[in-house]
Amino acid sequence: MHILASVGDNLERFFSLPSQVFVLLLLEGINSYRNYGIRMVQYQYFTNEFGISDTECGSLLGFKATLDVVFGMAGGLAVDAFGVRKTTLFALAMAICGRFLLAFGRTKVQLYTACLFFSPFGEAFLMVGIYKVALYKLTTPRIRPFAFGVQYSTWNFSGALLASRPAHRFGSLCASPHKSLRLFQG
């Protein structure tokens, strides 16, 4: 009986969260799903579509990951200095430019520009720091620990959703956008 009461209390707390928190959790869930999804296919995509070697791809992804960590921390400072909205809009614009280059670029210069310039500013800034600051501002001290727990669960649930898909289904995601466009041209 104690467990049912605890579940009821948690559901009551969940539905007492401000409506903006649900929008924030949805955005974080989508962003986490996108982040895990690209990580599953980027190695194949880079080697198959840009023709770089395994070693070059590994070095690029390692350097990109290092920049993402550094820029992720810088993103927290940017949020403090400029606010959540301005930092998010800047980061989103940079991420869109980077994704456009990855999807439609064909040269190594475009690949490296997307991964080493646009990605750190865009994707790393859009990571956990922005959501944590926004969640902190949207909640009261009474419900904040619970809200952070739900946020962490949302992040993990997004990864679990992606991991539950069979790996062979991601092969189609590695197809070149140019090849996919040819299907529609007849």
Side-chain angles (χ1 to χ4, degrees):
M1 199 61 163
H2 177 67
I3 293 174
L4 290 176
S6 176
V7 169
D9 289 344
N10 285 333
L11 282 174
E12 184 180 323
R13 275 196 265 173
F14 180 74
F15 289 113
S16 71
L17 291 170
S19 60
Q20 298 93 339
V21 170
F22 294 108
V23 173
L24 180 73
L25 293 173
L26 175 67
L27 291 173
E28 182 168 18
I30 292 169
N31 191 38
S32 296
Y33 189 82
R34 176 216 40 93
N35 186 33
Y36 288 128
I38 193 69
R39 301 251 185 281
M40 289 184 77
V41 298
Q42 68 185 357
Y43 172 80
Q44 282 183 312
Y45 183 70
F46 291 174
T47 56
N48 293 344
E49 297 301 324
F50 289 92
I52 62 176
S53 70
D54 293 343
T55 306
E56 187 177 0
C57 185
S59 297
L60 172 63
L61 292 175
F63 193 63
K64 178 188 175 304
T66 302
L67 286 175
D68 285 347
V69 169
V70 171
F71 277 81
M73 289 185 272
L77 297 173
V79 168
D80 290 341
F82 303 110
V84 173
R85 181 172 292 151
K86 288 179 182 176
T87 305
T88 302
L89 290 174
F90 170 76
L92 190 57
M94 296 296 275
I96 289 170
C97 291
R99 287 303 165 104
F100 184 84
L101 275 178
L102 284 179
F104 298 107
R106 294 293 98 201
T107 67
K108 285 185 182 181
V109 172
Q110 291 167 329
L111 172 66
Y112 276 81
T113 302
C115 289
L116 302 179
F117 180 73
F118 287 111
S119 177
F121 274 112
E123 295 176 29
F125 270 38
L126 285 174
M127 293 309 284
V128 179
I130 282 181
Y131 298 112
K132 289 208 180 304
V133 171
L135 192 60
Y136 182 85
K137 289 181 176 186
L138 291 172
T139 56
T140 63
R142 186 181 69 76
I143 62 169
R144 194 167 292 137
F146 180 77
F148 280 125
V150 172
Q151 178 192 31
Y152 188 73
S153 299
T154 302
W155 184 63
N156 285 324
F157 182 68
S158 298
L161 276 177
L162 198 64
S164 67
R165 295 180 56 110
H168 70 278
R169 299 200 49 205
F170 288 102
S172 62
L173 295 175
C174 294
S176 167
H178 300 290
K179 292 177 189 171
S180 301
L181 290 174
R182 278 187 234 137
L183 295 174
F184 296 108
Q185 293 173 351

